[in-house]
Amino acid sequence: MRYLFRLLFFLPALLMGQPSAAQPTQPVAFVNLPFDLVNGLVVLRNLELNGQRGDFILDTGSNYGLIVERDAFAGQLHGALLHGVGMSNTLEAQRLDVTSFQFGATHYTRLRAMATSLANVRRFAGPHLLGFIGTEILQDYEVVIDYRHRQVSCYPLHAGKTAVRPPFVRTDSLHFALPQGAPVIRGYIGKTPVQLLLDTGAMSISLDPAFVQQLAPAQRPRLLGSTAPSTGVGVGNQQAQRAILHELILPPTAWYELPVMLDKLARPVNGQALPYQGILGFLFLSNCGKSGVISFHYGRRQFYTLTPKRRS
């Protein structure tokens, strides 16, 4: 699985105006939720949105707060049916006004969600998938993902003296920017700079084939003799090429012999250039550090690997 839903994350700003600020009805609280790992996706079970319960994918690759299944809220949608052009398909979306979303102990209201069909994603995430949770909500926290114990913990950035402290020691770190609301880091393939999206909503490590062709021949990924179908909404029958990347440098760390997919990345419908040339999904994120624990600190804009604190 390369990326599930990347194109639609640009539709809100282009077709529906910029996302509204998420407004909890109480101070943002510490969130601690178990998750199931489904095809590399972090799936939070049985969350409540506008009176309905279902599963949500925690998706750092989304610049929107919530993207939801259109059919589940058919009687609550607003605005005309909007159309966006995907790679080969037409995508449709409407607006959902969120009156109640319970994320752990935090209750959100007055949040505008995008509603569209998640049928393609449900094939991988399960029939109870209700939506995605993205940066518009996550940016209020340091988001800790413990892949080994299947636990998501979100620590409010502005809790003051009442703050719950993560029981971890931060080790390696990478700075990320939020050029379009989602975390992007900088690295190198050979001497060529590359920008990569840190995406819990993707399974694989992906590189755009057009970018790969700009690399020196010795630095290009080694092609394997197989392909796999892309699974993103709007990609039609596109195939992704399997390959091995010899070296990826994310200073000060170098990664070797990485399995990658050469997969054309979805573009915004207005043709605007993407701020990244590849995606680092589950296969990268879950292998950072020895403990399998990572965090996205949106206040510091740092991606950390974590180790548990020793008990005294």
Side-chain angles (χ1 to χ4, degrees):
M1 193 181 308
R2 264 54 58 200
Y3 55 94
L4 286 176
F5 218 58
R6 200 57 46 229
L7 178 60
L8 286 180
F9 295 146
F10 296 94
L11 280 175
L14 296 170
L15 297 178
M16 300 170 64
Q18 294 294 331
S20 59
Q23 299 184 33
T25 57
Q26 59 196 42
V28 174
F30 171 63
V31 174
N32 189 42
L33 294 170
F35 69 84
D36 289 335
L37 198 60
V38 181
N39 289 312
L41 302 174
V42 175
V43 179
L44 305 173
R45 302 292 191 189
N46 202 34
L47 303 188
E48 184 176 351
L49 171 62
N50 284 13
Q52 295 199 49
R53 289 189 174 274
D55 301 338
F56 285 80
I57 294 172
L58 186 80
D59 192 356
T60 59
S62 167
N63 64 354
Y64 220 58
L66 292 169
I67 296 177
V68 300
E69 169 54 51
R70 182 180 59 204
D71 291 347
F73 301 95
Q76 304 177 44
L77 303 182
H78 299 282
L81 191 63
L82 301 171
H83 297 269
V85 179
M87 289 182 178
S88 59
N89 296 344
T90 298
L91 306 173
E92 299 177 339
Q94 288 181 280
R95 188 183 79 247
L96 173 70
D97 293 331
V98 176
T99 58
S100 177
F101 175 59
Q102 196 68 35
F103 183 49
T106 305
H107 186 212
Y108 287 88
T109 62
R110 300 172 61 190
L111 176 65
R112 187 171 57 195
M114 188 183 71
T116 191
S117 173
L118 301 184
N120 197 35
V121 188
R122 283 183 167 189
R123 291 190 296 138
F124 302 95
H128 302 294
L129 180 68
L130 205 56
F132 291 77
I133 301 172
T135 300
E136 187 187 355
I137 288 176
L138 301 179
Q139 66 187 355
D140 290 329
Y141 302 92
E142 178 178 6
V143 179
V144 175
I145 303 173
D146 185 340
Y147 281 103
R148 184 171 299 174
H149 297 98
R150 306 289 194 267
Q151 200 77 20
V152 168
S153 301
C154 300
Y155 297 85
L157 298 180
H158 308 293
K161 294 181 179 180
T162 63
V164 179
R165 303 299 178 186
F168 299 101
V169 176
R170 300 184 180 101
T171 52
D172 295 335
S173 66
L174 292 168
H175 174 75
F176 63 77
L178 296 169
Q180 291 178 347
V184 174
I185 61 172
R186 293 178 178 269
Y188 296 89
I189 298 176
K191 296 183 178 180
T192 304
V194 61
Q195 298 191 99
L196 301 164
L197 177 69
L198 295 171
D199 188 0
T200 59
M203 173 66 179
S204 301
I205 303 168
S206 301
L207 291 173
D208 189 86
F211 168 76
V212 168
Q213 290 303 310
Q214 299 174 19
L215 299 172
Q219 302 298 330
R220 292 173 188 168
R222 183 175 74 256
L223 300 182
L224 302 178
S226 61
T227 61
S230 291
T231 56
V233 171
V235 298
N237 296 319
Q238 176 182 313
Q239 293 288 310
Q241 173 69 56
R242 300 181 189 274
I244 298 293
L245 180 63
H246 173 63
E247 182 183 57
L248 171 64
I249 301 171
L250 302 174
T253 304
W255 297 71
Y256 296 98
E257 301 303 305
L258 290 172
V260 299
M261 304 300 299
L262 306 187
D263 197 2
K264 185 178 179 182
L265 304 180
R267 297 296 195 274
V269 294
N270 66 350
Q272 178 183 358
L274 289 172
Y276 52 85
Q277 296 85 42
I279 296 172
L280 298 177
F282 165 75
L283 291 181
F284 173 84
L285 299 173
S286 62
N287 285 291
C288 290
K290 296 180 179 179
S291 65
V293 184
I294 60 172
S295 81
F296 295 80
H297 195 302
Y298 285 92
R300 299 174 182 173
R301 297 193 178 182
Q302 292 286 327
F303 171 76
Y304 293 107
T305 59
L306 309 177
T307 58
K309 291 181 178 178
R310 293 183 178 180
R311 295 182 180 179
S312 57

